[in-house]
Amino acid sequence: MRNSELIDLWEWGQNKPSLQQALIILSAAYPDMTLEDLTGLTMGERDSMLLRLRESIFGHRVLGLASCPNCGEKMELSFDVADILDRDLNICQRVEPLMIEEFKVFFRLPTIFDLMQSNAQDVPTMRRQLLQCCISRAEKDGREYDANLLSEAVLEAVVDQMGKADPHGDLQIDISCPLCHQENQLPFDIVSFLWIEIDTWARRLLEEVHILASAYGWSEGEILAMSSMRRQIYLNLVAQ
């Protein structure tokens, strides 16, 4: 992806909700995919694509900060994309009906479109809405059963099966706190993380454009078309 394209998507995605920012990034990176294609992705498919894109732009090493959920200690994170992305893993959207106790539950995996349709303000409500739209029907002892009456245990089994069918939909990072030595797993939100990286990169690049345009009179397009090495050489000359 060219510098100018990244700058454009960064500008377009300012102050947009996280779901829309993800679609903006993916639509720029995969121009052959329609909006219907993108909103039809599962969370795992979306996040896998974003991780691969992040790797191609910023490299395979990920650096960040986190807080220990046990004691609150701030710590630096450093891991490889390969640590959380199984490249050989095939995500299966066609799931088999779940047999549990005397029930048979027919369901599909939630998609980005499902999330966009939700008006939930909290996680439990969103979970319930997603299950309602993803469970197509249920049977008990071979007879039709109202899916809204399924027990919490059955619904948990459905959620667990969804997670197994879409394993990249819940990315986790293993951490070990240097203070309390507690080991935990933290969720990794690739959308927010990648957007922060793009935002930081874009603001730094535009600052370089300002410096070089002021010094040499070049246009933004001319400066953005330069390699990072050439820009840095000119920036060093300006600073002398």
Side-chain angles (χ1 to χ4, degrees):
M1 190 179 299
R2 296 192 301 271
N3 288 339
S4 57
E5 293 173 324
L6 263 178
I7 290 291
D8 287 343
L9 74 84
W10 164 78
E11 185 178 10
W12 177 244
Q14 288 299 305
N15 302 317
K16 296 287 196 309
S18 179
L19 279 173
Q20 289 188 31
Q21 288 176 338
L23 290 175
I24 289 170
I25 295 171
L26 289 175
S27 62
Y30 301 92
D32 292 337
M33 296 186 69
T34 66
L35 182 60
E36 184 178 2
D37 293 332
L38 293 174
T39 56
L41 295 172
T42 67
M43 294 295 290
E45 289 174 322
R46 184 200 69 175
D47 288 359
S48 296
M49 292 167 67
L50 288 173
L51 274 169
R52 290 186 175 92
L53 179 61
R54 189 269 170 201
E55 188 176 39
S56 69
I57 298 173
F58 297 114
H60 63 88
R61 203 67 190 162
V62 179
L63 303 175
L65 296 173
S67 298
C68 174
N70 185 53
C71 69
E73 174 71 5
K74 300 290 184 182
M75 67 187 80
E76 292 185 354
L77 293 179
S78 177
F79 61 93
D80 199 282
V81 170
D83 294 337
I84 58 174
L85 179 63
D86 189 339
R87 300 175 193 279
D88 297 326
L89 194 61
N90 291 319
I91 299 175
C92 178
Q93 292 193 61
R94 297 185 62 182
V95 291
E96 296 296 326
L98 176 65
M99 304 292 298
I100 177 171
E101 300 174 0
E102 68 270 40
F103 295 98
K104 186 176 185 179
V105 185
F106 298 80
F107 67 96
R108 62 173 175 79
L109 296 179
T111 65
I112 306 305
F113 181 79
D114 296 325
L115 289 175
M116 294 176 68
Q117 294 298 107
S118 172
N119 58 1
Q121 300 299 315
D122 56 84
V123 174
T125 302
M126 177 178 289
R127 176 181 177 274
R128 185 170 63 252
Q129 289 179 351
L130 290 176
L131 284 171
Q132 287 175 345
C133 70
C134 292
I135 295 177
S136 57
R137 77 177 195 274
E139 296 177 359
K140 181 179 181 181
D141 298 324
R143 295 185 178 183
E144 194 79 16
Y145 185 83
D146 188 349
N148 293 316
L149 300 179
L150 291 171
S151 69
E152 190 63 28
V154 173
L155 294 179
E156 284 293 341
V158 173
V159 171
D160 182 65
Q161 197 69 13
M162 286 178 172
K164 292 177 180 177
D166 192 25
H168 286 145
D170 184 22
L171 297 172
Q172 300 283 331
I173 307 170
D174 295 321
I175 65 167
S176 179
C177 180
L179 185 63
C180 69
H181 307 292
Q182 184 78 25
E183 294 188 354
N184 288 286
Q185 278 195 326
L186 293 180
F188 180 64
D189 182 357
I190 179 58
V191 179
S192 298
F193 189 89
L194 178 56
W195 190 261
I196 290 173
E197 286 190 307
I198 291 174
D199 183 74
T200 302
W201 169 89
R203 293 180 186 278
R204 184 175 63 246
L205 181 56
L206 290 179
E207 183 177 350
E208 293 178 1
V209 169
H210 168 72
I211 293 172
L212 294 180
S214 299
Y216 296 102
W218 296 327
S219 69
E220 179 183 82
E222 290 172 325
I223 298 171
L224 292 179
M226 294 179 185
S227 66
S228 58
M229 179 182 293
R230 288 181 63 186
R231 280 198 313 275
Q232 190 57 53
I233 290 173
Y234 285 120
L235 287 168
N236 292 340
L237 290 172
V238 171
Q240 289 180 358

